[in-house]
Amino acid sequence: GVTKRHHTFFEMLGNFSFGDYFKEDAILWAWELSTKEYGLDPSRVWVSVFREDTEALALWRDVVGVPEDHIQRLDEKDNFWASGATGPCGPCSELYYDFFPERGTEGASLADDDDRFIEFYNLVFMESNRSAQGELTPLANKNIDTGMGLERMAQILQGKRNNYETDLIFPIIAKAAELAGVDYFECDEKIQTYLKVIGDHTRAVVYLISDGVTPSNIGRGYIVRRLLRRVVRCARLVGVRGEDAFTPIVAQVAIDLSPECDPAVAGAAARVLGEMEREEKRFVQTLERGETLLEEMLTQALKDNTGLSGLNAFTLYDTFGFPVEITEEVAAERGVGVDMEGFNKALQAQRKMSQAAQGSVDMTAGSTLAEVADLLGSGTDFLGYDTLLSEATVQA
């Protein structure tokens, strides 16, 4: 909800090629889809390429006809894609839509200007394999992996300020605003952000629970729990009150929007709504325990004539899911300051630990997958171009 275009759940459009068409066809078809099928003005489409990918640059400039001042070379951070620390990887090329072409080309930056440009289509040219030692070797069969964000394309085609105000998410936001007794478009930026979080997270939780993921303290279930609890916290912050559970009401809107995306969601509606209601009621009890602990902390802070430490504020946030904004508000009412610098340091430390864990995944599984592939040979044929069903034998 903080940025205009990032989500916990999003719908991805795209296509793959395994050893069939490659860079030139992927580029030509992406341009055709964007400018002819979707009707985007070609003069408002910019392109990025990996700094060393002169082939892609030449294709965009000389074959497609994109002006060179609308093509930018970017580094690995933006234009080199990998499935993990090891495994298949390669350069990519991205298409951006320009919301403000009147600003001209001088000084324009696809990498830094999120206000002017939105990246809506990514073409990944999978041509290498990265070993655990960081060495790149050519893939026997080069692959194509493309992705287009449905929400981003909806924002462009519907002329909205952000993804959240499109017809994919805004009906959920509108229902939350109605329950809070506010008008989204008349709210300040902070309240709008809370409402966008409710819209985004509610949609994500609905689809996750529909797929069989239930709230828990481990694995993917923990993700569902954190998302759902953030919905409840944000609902309180925008002014939702009452004895009845809030989340099933907004979740029903997400379910009503789901048939064209996943018809199975409506069939799982009763289970989804039941899980959300139970989890919300459990969390409300947790919040109440957090409020009790906060009161004890504030009483001690007043007794010691000190502020509330950042560590205490983070404990309330991380362990009890207690919003730091509420902590600050309640503390201010008691005349106690909150060490936000200490809170932010603790939060950043937690995020760094999480990122470090993600970066350590070995996609080669210590060469085990390669050994299994060698053992089985190369007798697997891809039949997806001709049929959706086939019989097969799992050998390992």
Side-chain angles (χ1 to χ4, degrees):
V2 177
T3 72
K4 296 179 180 180
R5 60 204 61 167
H6 292 100
H7 304 283
T8 52
F9 167 86
F10 62 93
E11 297 180 59
M12 180 68 78
L13 313 175
N15 52 282
F16 297 88
S17 169
F18 301 97
D20 189 3
Y21 66 87
F22 196 54
K23 194 172 296 187
E24 181 172 0
D25 285 331
I27 286 174
L28 290 172
W29 291 337
W31 186 256
E32 178 182 354
L33 178 62
S34 301
T35 61
K36 293 183 179 179
E37 299 300 325
Y38 289 136
L40 300 186
D41 182 349
S43 69
R44 299 182 74 157
V45 179
W46 290 53
V47 174
S48 69
V49 297
F50 181 52
R51 65 169 188 270
E52 299 171 7
D53 194 352
T54 55
E55 180 188 5
L57 189 149
L59 286 168
W60 284 115
R61 181 191 60 203
D62 303 332
V63 179
V64 176
V66 177
E68 193 157 1
D69 61 7
H70 278 50
I71 305 173
Q72 295 189 3
R73 296 175 183 262
L74 298 179
D75 293 329
E76 287 94 342
K77 176 179 177 293
D78 297 290
N79 278 77
F80 195 91
W81 192 91
S83 55
T86 59
C89 58
C92 63
S93 188
E94 298 178 326
L95 282 72
Y96 293 76
Y97 185 78
D98 185 357
F99 288 108
F100 301 102
E102 65 274 11
R103 296 181 183 177
T105 59
E106 186 176 353
S109 173
L110 296 178
D112 302 320
D113 195 345
D114 284 343
D115 178 58
R116 175 175 176 178
F117 299 104
I118 182 171
E119 181 257 308
F120 66 89
Y121 207 170
N122 186 16
L123 316 178
V124 181
F125 312 124
M126 305 282 277
E127 57 189 29
S128 302
N129 184 72
R130 179 182 284 136
S131 69
Q133 291 72 41
E135 298 176 354
L136 295 180
T137 55
L139 289 173
N141 293 306
K142 296 179 180 180
N143 306 321
I144 287 293
D145 175 2
T146 78
M148 174 187 288
L150 178 62
E151 293 82 3
R152 298 186 181 197
M153 183 54 70
Q155 178 192 345
I156 295 169
L157 295 178
Q158 294 175 22
K160 301 299 182 180
R161 299 181 304 172
N162 54 66
N163 293 358
Y164 297 92
E165 294 175 14
T166 68
D167 58 8
L168 296 169
I169 303 174
F170 191 73
I172 307 171
I173 294 174
K175 173 57 71 173
E178 175 190 330
L179 295 171
V182 299
D183 184 330
Y184 169 85
F185 293 104
E186 294 181 358
C187 293
D188 61 27
E189 183 178 356
K190 179 180 287 189
I191 297 300
Q192 284 190 351
T193 297
Y194 294 145
L195 288 168
K196 286 187 284 189
V197 168
I198 292 171
D200 172 85
H201 287 15
T202 296
R203 194 171 68 139
V205 168
V206 163
Y207 280 84
L208 283 165
I209 296 178
S210 172
D211 273 351
V213 185
T214 55
S216 71
N217 286 329
I218 58 173
R220 58 186 186 171
Y222 183 61
I223 302 300
V224 176
R225 173 159 288 169
R226 290 297 297 267
L227 291 176
L228 189 51
R229 289 184 172 192
R230 195 173 185 216
V231 170
V232 177
R233 296 202 314 259
C234 288
R236 287 195 168 202
L237 291 170
V238 299
V240 174
R241 296 291 184 270
E243 297 297 325
D244 295 332
F246 161 81
T247 55
I249 300 174
V250 289
Q252 184 61 57
V253 180
I255 293 170
D256 292 341
L257 293 170
S258 70
E260 293 185 358
C261 174
D262 184 357
V265 173
R271 176 168 54 83
V272 170
L273 298 176
E275 285 284 356
M276 294 181 74
E277 180 175 4
R278 286 189 291 273
E279 182 65 17
E280 178 180 346
K281 289 181 176 179
R282 282 194 293 264
F283 180 50
V284 168
Q285 295 175 346
T286 300
L287 272 177
E288 291 172 352
R289 290 196 295 271
E291 290 171 340
T292 300
L293 181 57
L294 174 59
E295 179 60 30
E296 294 174 359
M297 291 176 175
L298 292 176
T299 299
Q300 189 63 44
L302 287 169
K303 180 179 178 181
D304 298 339
N305 196 27
T306 61
L308 188 69
S309 73
L311 183 59
N312 279 341
F314 181 74
T315 299
L316 288 167
Y317 169 82
D318 190 54
T319 303
F320 294 92
F322 205 79
V324 70
E325 296 89 352
I326 292 181
T327 297
E328 285 187 291
E329 180 181 337
V330 175
E333 291 173 355
R334 299 286 300 276
V336 176
V338 179
D339 176 17
M340 288 306 300
E341 182 178 352
F343 171 84
N344 288 325
K345 285 182 178 178
L347 183 61
Q348 289 301 319
Q350 182 201 55
R351 287 175 176 170
K352 287 180 179 178
M353 290 176 60
S354 176
Q355 291 168 358
Q358 292 173 7
S360 65
V361 176
D362 184 354
M363 296 298 290
T364 66
S367 77
T368 302
L369 296 180
E371 292 173 4
V372 171
D374 289 340
L375 179 65
L376 297 178
S378 56
T380 300
D381 296 319
F382 179 70
L383 307 178
Y385 291 119
D386 303 311
T387 180
L388 297 177
L389 297 172
S390 66
E391 293 186 1
T393 301
V394 179
Q395 299 184 32

